[in-house]
């Protein structure tokens, strides 16, 4: 009997452990509901409450993984591809020909009666949309469920997942850490492709006019005086250099 019970416990543990792995894997999906409150490490791009609180994304930009967020506004100005979730504390404005392969949320912290999510034409939104207010989408494809409060309006393509008038599911955005001091940067002007490491870690002004690549090789602190990037196809590459423990 003891042998049978021991065997049953092992099988039950294996079943629970397997279930735990499945749930963990599912929660990492782009469309999974974000934890509340979210962490800064959940984001690739995030603009906090100091200043305009706006994350502005230009044309021909591709963002892979992480999330894009802002306390007030997430906005694109061209044909961006965002393979990530978008979370705004207030509004989201996306221009024409945008692709979003993730969830979109907009909390309407300003309590505006106008449009809270505005999207241009020829869009492709794969994930669910949760907006605390009115939505206008010029045209394209909406594949997920659209949820907005009763009394709000949805104007746009018929969502494949349905339109639900109910309280939207909105994540709690993270707070920003206290400011920290850094050693001063240099005054050098850099216009060519460069690969930098955290040592010495102090660099100057990165002025790229197009088709240039800046590679940060290895985790650590990199201090720059300024970034001025114009033109197309500039790249910022984070190369962890095989290090899984650095900051």
């Amino acid at each position: 009997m003891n042998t049978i019970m021991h065997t049953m416990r092992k099988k039950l543990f294996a079943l629970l452990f397997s279930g735990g792995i499945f749930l963990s894997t599912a929660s990492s999906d782009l469309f999974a509901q974000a934890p509340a409150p979210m962490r800064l490490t959940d984001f690739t791009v995030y603009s906090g409450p100091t200043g305009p609180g706006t994350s502005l994304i230009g044309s021909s930009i591709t963002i892979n993984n992480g999330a894009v967020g802002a306390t007030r506004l997430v906005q694109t100005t061209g044909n961006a591809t965002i393979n990530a979730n978008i979370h705004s504390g207030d509004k989201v404005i996306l221009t024409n020909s945008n692709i979003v392969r993730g969830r979109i949320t907009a909390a309407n912290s300003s309590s505006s009666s106008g449009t809270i999510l505005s999207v241009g034409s020829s869009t492709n939104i794969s994930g669910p949309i949760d907006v605390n207010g009115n939505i206008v989408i010029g045209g394209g494809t909406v594949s997920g469920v659209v949820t907005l409060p009763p009394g709000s309006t949805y104007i746009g393509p018929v969502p494949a997942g349905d339109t639900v008038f109910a309280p939207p599911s909105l994540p709690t955005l993270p707070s920003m850490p206290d400011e920290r001091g850094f050693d001063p940067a240099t005054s050098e002007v850099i216009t060519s492709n460069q690969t930098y490491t955290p040592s010495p870690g102090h660099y100057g002004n990165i002025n790229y006019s197009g088709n240039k690549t800046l590679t940060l090789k290895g985790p650590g602190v990199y201090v720059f005086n300024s970034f001025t990037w114009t033109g197309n196809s500039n790249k910022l590459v984070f190369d962890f250099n095989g290090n899984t423990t650095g900051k």
Side-chain angles (χ1 to χ4, degrees):
M1 178 64 71
N2 289 340
T3 301
I4 295 174
M5 291 300 294
H6 180 67
T7 301
M8 290 178 65
R9 288 192 187 100
K10 288 175 64 178
K11 290 182 177 180
L12 179 59
F13 174 78
L15 177 61
L16 291 173
F17 186 70
S18 298
I21 292 176
F22 172 75
L23 290 172
S24 175
T25 302
S27 66
S28 66
D29 186 83
L30 280 174
F31 303 158
Q33 182 173 333
M38 299 186 73
R39 304 166 298 171
L40 282 175
T41 51
D42 295 325
F43 290 85
T44 300
V45 177
Y46 184 74
S47 178
T50 302
T54 299
S55 291
L56 188 64
I57 301 168
S59 62
S60 302
I61 297 293
T62 299
I63 296 178
N64 293 320
N65 303 317
V68 176
T71 53
R72 294 187 179 92
L73 174 65
V74 176
Q75 182 175 2
T76 63
T77 61
N79 55 330
T81 298
I82 302 176
N83 298 315
N85 297 328
I86 297 176
H87 299 295
S88 174
D90 194 12
K91 299 179 180 180
V92 175
I93 300 175
L94 306 179
T95 189
N96 298 332
S97 303
N98 278 205
I99 298 172
V100 181
R101 296 189 177 98
R103 180 185 178 205
I104 298 177
T105 70
N108 191 12
S109 61
S110 62
S111 300
S112 172
S113 59
T115 303
I116 307 306
L117 170 62
S118 175
V119 184
S121 61
S122 302
T123 190
N124 188 333
I125 302 174
S126 301
I129 297 173
D130 287 87
V131 172
N132 186 25
N134 300 324
I135 300 172
V136 175
I137 300 176
T141 302
V142 177
S143 300
V145 177
V146 175
T147 304
L148 63 167
S152 300
T153 59
Y154 173 79
I155 300 174
V158 176
D162 203 359
T163 305
V164 178
F165 291 93
S169 177
L170 302 170
T172 300
L173 297 179
S175 58
M176 297 294 284
D178 294 334
E179 292 183 10
R180 56 177 293 187
F182 296 100
D183 292 334
T186 70
S187 59
E188 180 185 10
V189 176
I190 299 102
T191 59
S192 59
N193 297 330
Q194 294 290 338
T195 298
Y196 290 136
T197 65
S199 178
H202 308 123
Y203 306 101
N205 305 282
I206 310 297
N207 293 354
Y208 281 174
S209 59
N211 297 300
K212 296 294 187 296
T213 300
L214 175 64
T215 301
L216 306 184
K217 194 173 183 65
V221 176
Y222 296 80
V223 181
F224 295 91
N225 192 50
S226 70
F227 278 82
T228 304
W229 287 17
T230 59
N232 295 323
S233 302
N234 292 308
K235 295 180 182 180
L236 176 59
V237 177
F238 296 93
D239 180 357
F240 288 86
N241 201 26
N243 190 331
T244 60
T245 60
K247 296 183 178 180

